[in-house]
Amino acid sequence: MSTATLTTPDTTAAAEPLIEFAQVEKTYSNGFQAVTPFDLSVGRGEIVSLVGPSGCGKTTIIRMAAGLSKITGGTLTRRTDDLAYVFQDPTLLAWRNVRSNVELVAKLKGVDKATRRDLATRAIETVGLSAFEKALPRQLSGGMKMRVSLARAITGAPDLLMMDEPFAALDEFTRATMQAELLRLWRVNDFSAMFITHSISEAVTLGHRIVVMASKPGRIQAVIDSPSPPTKDGSPRDERALAELGAHVSTLLAGAH
Ligand code: ADP
Ligand code: MG
């Protein structure tokens, strides 16, 4: 008998985490256990990075948190419905141009046209695609499509961003720019985020906490508080402490396959 529950209470006491996983697990319908019971919470305004080998259950975890995949054990509490999800592959509507794709989520949320236009203009600018507003997805590179997908997610300033390797297809320079933009947006909009990445340096740059996962079976190996997390005032980070953290994560991952 399964006692798994996903609750979304409407109480929003500020001190409570936005997401709480308590002994959550996932066994797919074919009997494969993708994630063994784990605990994790995501605080308000906190960015949690998830790193780990392919197949360790990262996507499964954020899909469960977003309500896109059922949990099969434990309890998952999410204290907001205002979330945006950036999928591993950019999911754009082929017949809509960049602007129209970016405005879509805000439109579905019922945001009025003028506000939606303003929000989309800013988001498109943020991802550096102002010159491509009228382009259709097939006219864009993979990296550009990913940026459209990101612009769509940030239009409407959600409480919670779920991001599944959103920058993996970008070149190094664009990737660094997007990381900086994401942190700039975080300082202004104060969202929480779960951010999956294969890049240790990206996990360390963006995360207040780093979740290091392991596979076979999929599980959380360690949750590490950043010694120098992103700050609201954008003050300089302790690069040395971050490099040490990166090295530590790298050592953990070496044994995670
Ligand atoms: P990651 O994102 O860390 O690469 P996933 O969460 O995508 O890992 O997948 C975790 C494990 O669950 C993998 O072994 C994958 O093959 C398996 N899996 C994913 N989706 C399904 C599904 N719908 N049915 C059965 N197994 C699945
Ligand atoms: Mg994945």
Side-chain angles (χ1 to χ4, degrees):
M1 194 183 73
S2 171
T3 55
T5 47
L6 167 61
T7 52
T8 53
D10 48 21
T11 49
T12 50
E16 285 176 309
L18 215 49
I19 306 178
E20 275 178 284
F21 297 83
Q23 291 292 293
V24 168
E25 58 188 290
K26 176 71 181 186
T27 302
Y28 281 105
S29 53
N30 63 358
F32 180 74
Q33 188 170 29
V35 201
T36 55
F38 71 98
D39 298 301
L40 180 68
S41 67
V42 180
R44 282 168 200 278
E46 185 181 35
I47 303 174
V48 173
S49 305
L50 289 97
V51 277
S54 253
C56 68
K58 302 180 297 295
T59 297
T60 300
I61 284 179
I62 72 164
R63 282 178 55 85
M64 290 192 291
L68 297 170
S69 179
K70 276 208 177 115
I71 67 176
T72 54
T75 307
L76 203 172
T77 307
R78 192 184 67 232
R79 297 189 172 88
T80 182
D81 282 330
D82 185 15
L83 64 90
Y85 195 110
V86 180
F87 293 90
Q88 208 160 350
D89 304 307
T91 46
L92 305 179
L93 297 177
W95 60 91
R96 285 176 175 257
N97 67 23
V98 166
R99 167 170 287 279
S100 167
N101 265 291
V102 170
E103 283 190 26
L104 193 63
V105 170
K107 188 175 176 179
L108 295 175
K109 261 188 178 177
V111 176
D112 71 84
K113 198 168 173 177
T115 310
R116 198 162 87 210
R117 286 202 71 81
D118 284 352
L119 289 168
T121 301
R122 211 174 316 159
I124 291 168
E125 234 172 69
T126 295
V127 301
L129 288 178
S130 298
F132 294 88
E133 284 202 1
K134 300 245 161 59
L136 290 168
R138 65 177 147 79
Q139 298 169 306
L140 306 175
S141 71
M144 288 160 94
K145 282 187 245 190
M146 207 62 232
R147 280 145 71 194
V148 176
S149 170
L150 182 71
R152 182 178 54 192
I154 62 182
T155 301
D159 281 348
L160 181 61
L161 264 174
M162 302 298 205
M163 309 180 93
D164 197 345
E165 301 187 34
F167 305 153
L170 305 179
D171 63 79
E172 275 305 307
F173 176 76
T174 311
R175 187 169 189 156
T177 309
M178 296 298 291
Q179 289 169 3
E181 274 306 323
L182 187 70
L183 289 180
R184 189 186 63 76
L185 283 165
W186 170 77
R187 288 196 287 270
V188 178
N189 292 344
D190 201 32
F191 51 76
S192 305
M194 294 183 82
F195 190 103
I196 297 177
T197 177
H198 262 109
S199 156
I200 294 173
S201 73
E202 184 164 85
V204 164
T205 300
L206 297 177
H208 294 89
R209 277 191 297 155
I210 321 291
V211 176
V212 184
M213 297 191 55
S215 59
K216 297 177 190 133
R219 63 196 187 279
I220 289 178
Q221 195 184 172
V223 180
I224 307 167
D225 287 325
S226 174
S228 182
T231 53
K232 282 289 159 187
D233 61 5
S235 53
R237 318 269 297 273
D238 181 344
E239 295 301 334
R240 195 163 154 181
L242 292 178
E244 278 167 17
L245 170 61
H248 179 47
V249 171
S250 175
T251 307
L252 289 172
L253 286 175
H257 294 266

